Amino acid sequence: MHGSRPELAIDFSGGTEWLIDAQGCRVDRLTDPACIRAICDDVLASLKLNVVADPLLHRFGGPGGVTAMYLLAESHLTCHTYPEVGFATFNLYCCRQRPRWNWEDALRQHLGAAEVRVRMIDRNVDAITPAESSNFARRSGASSR
C-alpha cells in the first residue's frame, strides 16, 4: 500500500464520463421512445459497450418526454428528454477508457438538435488526495487501511 490508497490488482484509472446537452430538438423525436432507443443503441454498438440488464425506457404521458436507462458492464448510459423546451440530456460513464463518440452529428441527425454541448470528465482515481480519502473513511465508518 502507498499511503491510504490500496494497491490495485487491476489497471483501473477511474474512467471517463460524458455529459451531453442537446438544444433546439424536434418535439416529435423527444417524445418517441424508439428514437431514443436508436440513439442509445448506436452509442452502445459504436463503443462496444455491454448491456447487462434489460434497458428501461419510460414515455411520460401528455406532453412529457422519455427517460432511458441502460445498465452496462462498463457502468451506465442515461437519457432524459424535455419536449416542452426542445431539450435532451445524455450521460455516459465508462469505467474504462473509450474513444469519444460523435454526439454532435448523431444528435443533429436523430433529434434535429440545433446545438449540442459535450463535456467530458476524467474520473481519475488519483484525483482524490490522501486527506480526502481519510475524511471519507472517517465519515463512512470505514477503515483507511
Side-chain angles (χ1 to χ4, degrees), residues 79-131:
C79 173
H80 304 283
T81 71
Y82 305 89
E84 64 275 18
V85 292
F87 188 63
T89 66
F90 290 82
N91 175 243
L92 174 62
Y93 174 47
C94 295
C95 61
R96 299 274 188 255
Q97 296 300 318
R98 288 287 192 271
R100 186 188 187 285
W101 196 62
N102 190 345
W103 292 95
E104 294 86 351
D105 286 351
L107 298 182
R108 285 185 184 107
Q109 177 186 354
H110 285 284
L111 299 178
E115 183 180 336
V116 178
R117 179 179 179 203
V118 179
R119 289 169 283 168
M120 185 181 96
I121 302 166
D122 284 325
R123 306 295 299 264
N124 193 333
V125 170
D126 291 329
I128 300 174
T129 66

Side-chain angles (χ1 to χ4, degrees), residues 2-145:
H2 294 83
S4 62
R5 180 177 168 206
E7 290 287 336
L8 297 176
I10 58 172
D11 182 25
F12 177 72
S13 67
T16 305
E17 187 162 4
W18 290 273
L19 304 171
I20 301 93
D21 298 333
Q23 298 183 59
C25 301
R26 291 180 39 182
V27 171
D28 62 321
R29 303 280 177 90
L30 295 177
T31 58
D32 182 0
C35 179
I36 302 306
R37 181 183 285 268
I39 296 166
C40 293
D41 289 347
D42 282 354
V43 172
L44 299 171
S46 296
L47 296 178
K48 297 179 175 69
L49 298 170
N50 301 287
V51 179
V52 297
D54 291 335
L56 297 173
L57 280 94
H58 179 76
R59 162 71 164 91
F60 292 89
V66 175
T67 290
M69 301 181 85
Y70 288 71
L71 180 61
L72 308 175
E74 299 82 5
S75 196
H76 69 268
L77 169 64
T78 61
C79 173
H80 304 283
T81 71
Y82 305 89
E84 64 275 18
V85 292
F87 188 63
T89 66
F90 290 82
N91 175 243
L92 174 62
Y93 174 47
C94 295
C95 61
R96 299 274 188 255
Q97 296 300 318
R98 288 287 192 271
R100 186 188 187 285
W101 196 62
N102 190 345
W103 292 95
E104 294 86 351
D105 286 351
L107 298 182
R108 285 185 184 107
Q109 177 186 354
H110 285 284
L111 299 178
E115 183 180 336
V116 178
R117 179 179 179 203
V118 179
R119 289 169 283 168
M120 185 181 96
I121 302 166
D122 284 325
R123 306 295 299 264
N124 193 333
V125 170
D126 291 329
I128 300 174
T129 66
E132 290 171 324
S133 179
S134 295
N135 289 339
F136 173 77
R138 274 195 297 281
R139 286 193 311 272
S140 67
S143 170
S144 61
R145 292 187 193 183

